[in-house]
Amino acid sequence: MVKLTKIYTRTGDAGTTGLVDGTRRSKADARLVAIGEVDEANSAIGVALLGLDGPLAEDLTRIQNDLFDLGADLATPGDVEGALRILPEQVARLEDQIDAMNAQLSPLTSFILPGGTPAAAHLHLARAIARRAERAGVLLGEHEPINPSALAYLNRLSDWLFVAARAVNKNGASDVLWVPGGVRATR
C-alpha cells in the first residue's frame, strides 16, 4: 500500500522526475509525457463520473484504477521483476463491456458530434484525451519498448468511452449527428 507523508520533495525542481527503476528523466521525456496524458485521461473520467451512478460509474471507477496501473506500467521501463503491468485480461474486460453496451444501441448511420447530454459530453472529452494518451504511448513505443497491452488498453478505452457516451445519450437517442456540409451558407 502506498503511504505518502510528504507531497513535495523538491527532487523535480530541476525538471526531472524519478521512475520506478530509480532512473531520472526529463519531465519532457516521451515516457513522462505518456504518463501525464494517462493521468489527464483519468482526471477527465473523474469529471465524467460526477454525472453518473450505478454500474457505469462502477466500471469507470475500475477503469480509473486500471489507469493508475497503466501509469505504473509506463513508469517502469525495461524488465523489472514484479513490475505492475497492464494484462491482456484487462483489455478483454473492456472489450466485453463494449460489446454489452453496444448491443443496446442502434447502429450508427452517421458520425456523431461530441455532446448530447452533459454526461455524454464529459465522456466524449475523456475519449479524446484517452486518444491523446494513446498517441503519446505510440510515440514512446517508437523509441523504447513498452508493454503492448498498455497500448491496447488505451486503444480499447477510447472505444469504451465512445460507446458509453452513446449509452448515456439515451442509448443513442440524444446523439448529435454530423451533417456533412450541412451548416455551410448557401448563396
Side-chain angles (χ1 to χ4, degrees), residues 62 66 86-100 149 152-154 156-157 160:
R62 185 167 184 179
D66 285 350
I86 290 292
L87 302 173
E89 294 81 11
Q90 289 168 288
V91 177
R93 178 177 33 81
L94 289 180
E95 291 172 349
D96 291 344
Q97 291 173 347
I98 290 167
D99 292 343
S149 291
Y153 189 93
L154 287 170
R156 237 44 109 255
L157 175 61
W160 192 102

Side-chain angles (χ1 to χ4, degrees), residues 6 11 25 29 33 42 56 61 65 71 87 91 94 107 111 125 130 132 150 164 182-183:
K6 190 170 184 173
T11 59
R25 299 236 184 140
D29 180 85
V33 170
N42 204 344
L56 190 63
T61 300
N65 279 282
L87 302 173
V91 177
L94 289 180
F111 287 109
L125 179 59
R132 184 168 7 112
V183 295

Side-chain angles (χ1 to χ4, degrees), residues 22-59:
T23 61
R24 295 199 68 78
R25 299 236 184 140
S26 165
K27 291 183 181 187
D29 180 85
R31 186 168 292 276
L32 275 296
V33 170
I35 292 167
E37 301 293 358
V38 168
D39 185 40
E40 188 175 347
N42 204 344
S43 296
I45 290 170
V47 172
L49 272 165
L50 295 174
L52 299 170
D53 58 13
L56 190 63
E58 292 169 13
D59 290 341

Side-chain angles (χ1 to χ4, degrees), residues 158-182:
S158 59
D159 296 335
W160 192 102
L161 291 164
F162 176 80
V163 174
R166 292 199 68 217
V168 302
N169 258 346
K170 301 175 186 165
N171 284 334
S174 294
D175 285 342
V176 180
L177 299 181
W178 173 46
V179 180

